[in-house]
Amino acid sequence: MKGYDLGHFVNGKAFIHFDGRGKCNKFTYGPRICINNKGEKLFELPDRDMIVNEFEAEDVAFVMGGGKGVNDRGKYAVINNKGEFLTDFIYDTIYGGSEEGLFEAKRNGKHGHLDIKGKEVIPCMYENGHYFSEGVAAECLKGKWGMVDYFNNTVIPFEYEDIFICKNGLINAKKNGKWGLINKNNEVVVDFLYDEIDSYCTRDCLVFPSLKDNKWGLIDRDNNIIEDFKYEYMEAISDEDNNIGQFISMSVEKDGKRALYSAVENKFLTDFIYNQIGHLSCGRFMIRKDKKVGCIDTYGEVVAPAIYDNTNYNVYSEDVAVMFKDNKAGVIDLSGNLIIPCIYKNIRDCSDGLLLATDLNGNEGYINKKGDVIVPFGKYYLSSFGFNDGLTPIWSKETENAYINNKGEIVEIKI
């Protein structure tokens, strides 16, 4: 199948941009077509100058106008999974990813929110804002921050210098140059005393990292000091699976070493022995110790000792993690066992049960978690984004542009 750009599948659909060179080597734009995962055409965008990437989880997509109409050029609109336009090309930008199924949007430089039908549920009237969380969203009006609900009713008055999102009923707010915590009734929970409070640590947590006089400590909801302000650095650890923020990585003042702290049990799970503690994924933290990488579990116990090269950013995906030794890549399981030996130039994170590997000659192929070759090395040019919905784009001289499934089979495009 000839084509210029093959998009990734989301919700069983992908966009194809057919572009090429016509007579006199002049570049020509072709149609923008949406297909399903059987390779069947679903619809075509009406203007070949339009640009669209992929569907959001809510099954809508954001389209940028191509420029035939001066007012459309560079502006965004929303389409549904049938290719029907839910809005005109009037938005400067549209963001996905809200917890509430709403999208942030900017129109004429003003911030608001759209629902999945393209309705502007929060008018684009604010100077800035954040996404919805727990029924409220922070917005900035006339230089002051407050919060609104789904009906644009003011929940938190516009009287703050800054406000972040709501987590577990708590809102991180700034007043008179200091940060504190308030609830959705605008009642002060933690007074405005701090240079910084880590608001990501409010879900399921009993303590919050706080900065005061250039030192970090831990406070609870009653503003009691749980860990004194003596630490040089402290952060909530991002959870790749649930983003629940139950764990805190903190550095001790003496030599910059870090320890793992449970914000639910209110206790240290490790000593201050690590140079770095990474994100949580699949119940494992990557750790760096003395320029080597390993991993620990949520109890602070060592799963894989720090014997691997500190080469790339490591994280578990689909219960396996890529590790490097002597500048060669292999794969470990959740128990820290090396299930694929370190014999590859590079391996990318697992997706749909397969790992994109590069051999020592620079050829790419796909292997499974047992190390079996599913897509032969050097046969195709492969996408670095891996598989989505069981399919990934490929390129080769023989097949032009195409998709393969996670069995290595080419999917026919019926256009």
Side-chain angles (χ1 to χ4, degrees), residues 9 68 76 144 155 170 173 185 210 222 224 232 280 294 329 385:
F9 276 87
K68 285 188 177 179
Y76 285 85
K144 293 292 186 180
V155 176
L170 293 180
N185 295 323
S210 304
D222 298 317
N224 297 312
E232 61 188 23
L280 174 64
F385 291 101

Side-chain angles (χ1 to χ4, degrees), residues 78-297:
V78 182
I79 60 172
N80 63 17
N81 56 14
K82 297 179 181 179
E84 300 166 338
F85 280 83
L86 305 178
T87 72
D88 295 327
F89 287 94
I90 58 175
Y91 294 99
D92 307 327
T93 187
I94 307 174
Y95 309 97
S98 170
E99 294 180 5
E100 315 287 332
L102 298 174
F103 310 112
E104 293 180 79
K106 281 194 173 181
R107 178 166 53 84
N108 298 326
K110 298 293 187 179
H111 185 272
H113 297 264
L114 309 177
D115 66 15
I116 59 174
K117 296 182 180 180
K119 180 182 177 183
E120 209 170 282
V121 291
I122 305 298
C124 291
M125 56 178 283
Y126 297 103
E127 293 146 26
N128 206 344
H130 298 303
Y131 59 86
F132 265 91
S133 178
E134 300 186 11
V136 292
E139 303 287 353
C140 182
L141 185 64
K142 297 179 180 179
K144 293 292 186 180
W145 285 83
M147 282 191 141
V148 299
D149 63 14
Y150 299 128
F151 304 101
N152 203 31
N153 297 316
T154 299
V155 176
I156 302 295
F158 291 85
E159 61 185 24
Y160 295 97
E161 295 157 21
D162 204 353
I163 282 186
F164 202 50
I165 58 175
C166 182
K167 288 284 188 180
N168 201 27
L170 293 180
I171 300 160
N172 200 1
K174 187 177 184 181
K175 201 170 190 178
N176 298 324
K178 297 293 183 180
W179 288 90
L181 294 174
I182 60 175
N183 60 25
K184 286 193 278 189
N185 295 323
N186 199 34
E187 297 167 338
V188 176
V189 178
V190 172
D191 209 356
F192 300 93
L193 300 170
Y194 302 99
D195 301 314
E196 193 173 335
I197 295 181
D198 196 332
S199 61
Y200 276 112
C201 217
T202 57
R203 179 168 290 180
D204 299 329
C205 295
L206 303 176
V207 293
F208 316 118
S210 304
L211 180 66
K212 190 175 183 180
D213 299 327
N214 292 320
K215 293 295 181 182
W216 286 89
L218 292 175
I219 60 172
D220 65 12
R221 286 173 178 261
D222 298 317
N223 206 24
N224 297 312
I225 297 175
I226 306 302
E227 287 289 332
D228 204 5
F229 292 85
K230 62 182 181 182
Y231 299 97
E232 61 188 23
Y233 187 72
M234 197 178 286
E235 66 176 350
I237 296 179
S238 174
D239 186 336
E240 299 287 330
D241 301 319
N242 300 307
N243 193 25
I244 53 179
Q246 291 185 355
F247 298 92
I248 299 170
S249 170
M250 60 177 72
S251 299
V252 70
E253 183 177 6
K254 186 181 297 183
D255 54 7
K257 294 295 179 71
R258 294 194 182 186
L260 183 67
Y261 186 92
S262 169
V264 174
E265 298 181 33
N266 284 2
K267 68 177 184 180
F268 284 98
L269 302 177
T270 70
D271 294 328
F272 286 86
I273 56 176
Y274 298 111
N275 301 103
Q276 185 178 5
I277 301 175
H279 293 184
L280 174 64
S281 62
C282 303
R284 301 291 182 267
F285 303 92
M286 287 295 167
I287 51 95
R288 184 166 57 88
K289 184 179 180 183
D290 301 327
K291 298 183 180 180
K292 292 292 184 179
V293 173
C295 68
I296 59 177
D297 62 19

Side-chain angles (χ1 to χ4, degrees), residues 380-397:
Y380 306 115
Y381 297 106
L382 302 170
S383 169
S384 61
F385 291 101
F387 283 84
N388 281 23
D389 282 3
L391 295 170
T392 188
I394 61 168
W395 300 266
S396 75
K397 292 181 180 179

Side-chain angles (χ1 to χ4, degrees), residues 1-2 6 9 14 16 18 33-41 391 399 401-404 410-415:
M1 181 193 68
K2 294 182 178 180
L6 302 180
F9 276 87
I16 303 174
F18 287 94
I33 292 173
C34 179
I35 63 172
N36 63 20
N37 53 15
K38 296 179 181 179
E40 301 165 336
K41 177 180 176 180
L391 295 170
T399 61
N401 293 351
Y403 289 96
I404 56 172
I410 293 179
V411 175
E412 181 185 358
I413 305 297
K414 306 176 183 68
I415 300 176

